[in-house]
Amino acid sequence: MSEYGDTGYDGGADYGHYEAGQEHESLDQLHQAAGSEQNYDSQFGVYEADHASAENTSFDQGHHVEYSDPNGTHYEESDYTSYDHSAAETDHVFAAEGSESYSASEWSQLDALQHQLDTAFASATQISTVSN
């Protein structure tokens, strides 16, 4: 007797399964990266100098002559020299220099990958015959 019912035919063959179809799949991949960089630099220098000087000069000179003779003549002379000098000087120098810099950069990267996979398949089972 066969597995398909009693048809009166028993050829000793087993029929299996048959399947066919299609598959559709897709692959989506997204990669994103971002970054930034900032730099700041400052450099300053200061120069300062002070100078001060003072000078004082004082010069005094005196001369006196007096003469009297027996006849009653009288002579007198006086010379006097006085010199004074005062000076003061101050200097101040101030200098400053500097530099300052700033830089910034940003970046961003986006990679996208899409792949479509289409397949068709068919499969069948074996037919096996049994001989007696």
Side-chain angles (χ1 to χ4, degrees), residues 64-77:
H64 180 74
V65 175
E66 186 174 341
Y67 174 72
S68 295
D69 67 9
N71 293 332
T73 307
H74 181 75
Y75 174 76
E76 185 175 343
E77 176 185 13

Side-chain angles (χ1 to χ4, degrees), residues 62-102:
H63 171 75
H64 180 74
V65 175
E66 186 174 341
Y67 174 72
S68 295
D69 67 9
N71 293 332
T73 307
H74 181 75
Y75 174 76
E76 185 175 343
E77 176 185 13
S78 294
D79 290 326
Y80 187 77
T81 303
S82 177
Y83 174 77
D84 290 320
H85 172 73
S86 295
E89 179 180 330
T90 59
D91 293 326
H92 179 78
V93 176
F94 178 80
E97 67 174 336
S99 66
E100 187 173 24
S101 64
Y102 173 77

Side-chain angles (χ1 to χ4, degrees), residues 1-15 130-132:
M1 185 185 245
S2 90
E3 64 183 277
Y4 293 104
D6 193 10
T7 60
Y9 173 75
D10 189 18
D14 289 330
Y15 295 97
V130 179
S131 59
N132 294 358

Side-chain angles (χ1 to χ4, degrees), residues 5-123:
D6 193 10
T7 60
Y9 173 75
D10 189 18
D14 289 330
Y15 295 97
H17 173 77
Y18 176 77
E19 181 181 3
Q22 292 182 352
E23 290 183 2
H24 302 283
E25 294 183 28
S26 64
L27 173 67
D28 291 326
Q29 182 179 13
L30 184 65
H31 174 74
Q32 182 177 7
S36 66
E37 180 179 354
Q38 295 179 350
N39 293 319
Y40 176 77
D41 182 37
S42 65
Q43 186 174 19
F44 291 96
V46 175
Y47 172 77
E48 187 171 7
D50 289 321
H51 171 260
S53 65
E55 176 184 328
N56 288 319
T57 303
S58 180
F59 176 73
D60 292 324
Q61 180 180 14
H63 171 75
H64 180 74
V65 175
E66 186 174 341
Y67 174 72
S68 295
D69 67 9
N71 293 332
T73 307
H74 181 75
Y75 174 76
E76 185 175 343
E77 176 185 13
S78 294
D79 290 326
Y80 187 77
T81 303
S82 177
Y83 174 77
D84 290 320
H85 172 73
S86 295
E89 179 180 330
T90 59
D91 293 326
H92 179 78
V93 176
F94 178 80
E97 67 174 336
S99 66
E100 187 173 24
S101 64
Y102 173 77
S103 66
S105 64
E106 294 183 9
W107 60 271
S108 151
Q109 181 181 21
L110 179 65
D111 293 332
L113 173 67
Q114 183 177 16
H115 189 72
Q116 188 75 28
L117 302 171
D118 293 326
T119 59
F121 67 90
S123 66

